[in-house]
Amino acid sequence: MCHRVVVLALDGVIPFELGIPQRIFGRTLSTGTPGAGKRLYDVVTCSVRPPGPVRTDADFSIMAEHGPEALATADTVVVPASYELGPVHEEGRLTGELAAALAYIRPGTRMVSICTGGYVLAAAGYLDGRPATTHWSSADHFQRLFPKVRVDPDVLFIDDGDVLTSAGVAAGIDLCLHIVRRDHGTAVANDIARRTVVPPHRDGGQAQFIRRPLPEAGLATTTAARAWALGRLEQPILLRDMARQESMSVRTFTRRFREEVGVSPGQWLAQQRVERARQLLESTGLSVDQVARDAGFGTATSLRQHVQAALGVSPTAYRRTFRSTAPGR
């Protein structure tokens, strides 16, 4: 049986964010054998009212074919951003109509918000005492309105187990890909990312707001250094070696790297090595010691520490969960 994702479309919904769950979850297929090509998620869209039109923030409406009762069938509920949240945004409280709709959700259902959809989760109490994020421009207002929530305005998304929140717009894609990766492993997530023509992985801890997302004309970038490092992750890589690839001083390179990528070179290297380790754990039978060497961590102890910090499980537990979904299995 497919995992059921129900997307709650509220009046004023932003069409881009509304379409993300269907585009990612709705097109996700199994990659292992046997059973390659099997659909892994069933995605439906519902309104807080009986089936009918829902206003968007554009010059068109959508037709929701399901009412709020669909929420009772959900394994995961996704709430995209809306520009017409009314009392939810202004006072931090649910309308009667929205509260009645959310009451259909079964205990234990995974809750996900994209951008300011997090206001709905917070007003419903799902985020009390939890870490959460939203669009950086709304973060201060969000924190004032919901003081029980631990708001982090500087990340793309936050995975707190059964409740996940994302920053604005494209960060919703990152979060949905993260969920696919968490549910079915790197190979499946990479497959849908490739078919969607988006990067397969941006770490949730990456900064939302990068000062220079596009380099100034004629200004040297750190692109070549990153490509150089990715080609030799299994080897020791020093900061001065990366800076040398761009003919920069270490100080200039470090500043430019953070401006372009949003994290330090050391943090970025650790993220790439964890990603390499994930791929090796899923797709090969290499020992943990060999995975550690091939991913550039050197020792199994270092690998365990980094994987545990990034994924919340040991390398062995991660392999046990996802090895069966790797290609050729």
Side-chain angles (χ1 to χ4, degrees):
M1 181 179 297
C2 287
H3 182 104
R4 170 64 69 92
V5 177
V6 178
V7 184
L8 179 58
L10 302 173
D11 281 330
V13 68
I14 302 173
F16 182 92
E17 278 90 331
L18 177 64
I20 290 172
Q22 176 61 50
R23 189 61 186 85
I24 300 299
F25 297 123
R27 302 292 182 88
T28 295
L29 305 175
S30 60
T31 59
T33 55
K38 177 182 178 183
R39 192 158 55 95
L40 297 174
Y41 298 93
D42 175 33
V43 184
V44 300
T45 302
C46 77
S47 169
V48 295
R49 299 182 294 272
V54 177
R55 295 191 306 276
T56 73
D57 81 321
D59 63 343
F60 58 85
S61 296
I62 65 160
M63 180 64 68
E65 297 186 0
H66 302 274
E69 298 84 1
L71 292 167
T73 70
D75 299 301
T76 295
V77 170
V78 181
V79 184
S82 166
Y83 282 146
E84 296 182 22
L85 291 176
V88 174
H89 184 271
E90 296 161 8
E91 305 170 33
R93 65 175 179 84
L94 300 175
T95 63
E97 185 178 58
L98 182 52
L102 297 179
Y104 282 102
I105 298 173
R106 297 172 298 173
T109 300
R110 182 165 59 189
M111 301 298 297
V112 177
S113 66
I114 298 176
C115 193
T116 56
Y119 278 79
V120 174
L121 300 194
Y126 287 106
L127 301 181
D128 286 355
R130 291 179 178 261
T133 193
T134 189
H135 193 286
W136 61 268
S137 66
S138 298
D140 288 344
H141 176 260
F142 191 94
Q143 185 66 89
R144 291 194 301 271
L145 198 61
F146 304 108
K148 294 182 180 180
V149 182
R150 304 200 305 273
V151 180
D152 186 344
D154 297 323
V155 296
L156 295 177
F157 60 82
I158 290 178
D159 179 345
D160 196 41
D162 60 339
V163 178
L164 302 92
T165 54
S166 78
V169 197
I173 298 175
D174 297 310
L175 178 55
C176 289
L177 286 172
H178 168 78
I179 292 171
V180 172
R181 185 178 296 106
R182 196 180 91 170
D183 289 351
H184 299 288
T186 299
V188 173
N190 286 354
D191 177 68
I192 183 58
R194 183 166 52 251
R195 288 189 285 113
T196 310
V197 199
V198 295
H201 178 64
R202 288 198 300 167
D203 186 79
Q206 182 172 324
Q208 280 193 44
F209 182 73
I210 300 174
R211 191 178 308 162
R212 189 183 293 120
L214 293 176
E216 297 171 7
L219 189 66
T221 74
T222 62
T223 303
R226 279 178 272 147
W228 175 85
L230 287 173
R232 48 183 45 79
L233 286 177
E234 75 283 359
Q235 303 174 25
I237 298 175
L238 301 177
L239 182 56
R240 66 171 179 267
D241 296 330
M242 294 183 69
R244 190 178 298 121
Q245 304 306 310
E246 305 289 1
S247 300
M248 295 181 190
S249 69
V250 168
R251 182 177 180 181
T252 298
F253 177 82
T254 301
R255 185 187 74 251
R256 192 72 50 75
F257 193 101
R258 187 178 285 277
E259 289 173 348
E260 292 179 11
V261 182
V263 295
S264 71
Q267 291 171 316
W268 179 83
L269 272 174
Q271 291 170 2
Q272 305 313 307
R273 284 173 164 151
V274 168
E275 188 64 20
R276 172 71 60 81
R278 292 170 75 146
Q279 294 169 1
L280 293 172
L281 289 167
E282 290 183 22
S283 61
T284 76
L286 295 175
S287 68
V288 171
D289 286 330
Q290 187 61 55
V291 169
R293 289 192 290 271
D294 289 356
F297 289 114
T299 67
T301 298
S302 179
L303 172 68
R304 291 188 188 98
Q305 290 172 343
H306 281 87
V307 170
Q308 184 74 42
L311 309 179
V313 295
S314 69
T316 301
Y318 183 85
R319 168 174 274 167
R320 187 182 307 120
T321 300
F322 292 116
R323 181 75 173 98
S324 62
T325 65
R329 294 288 290 186

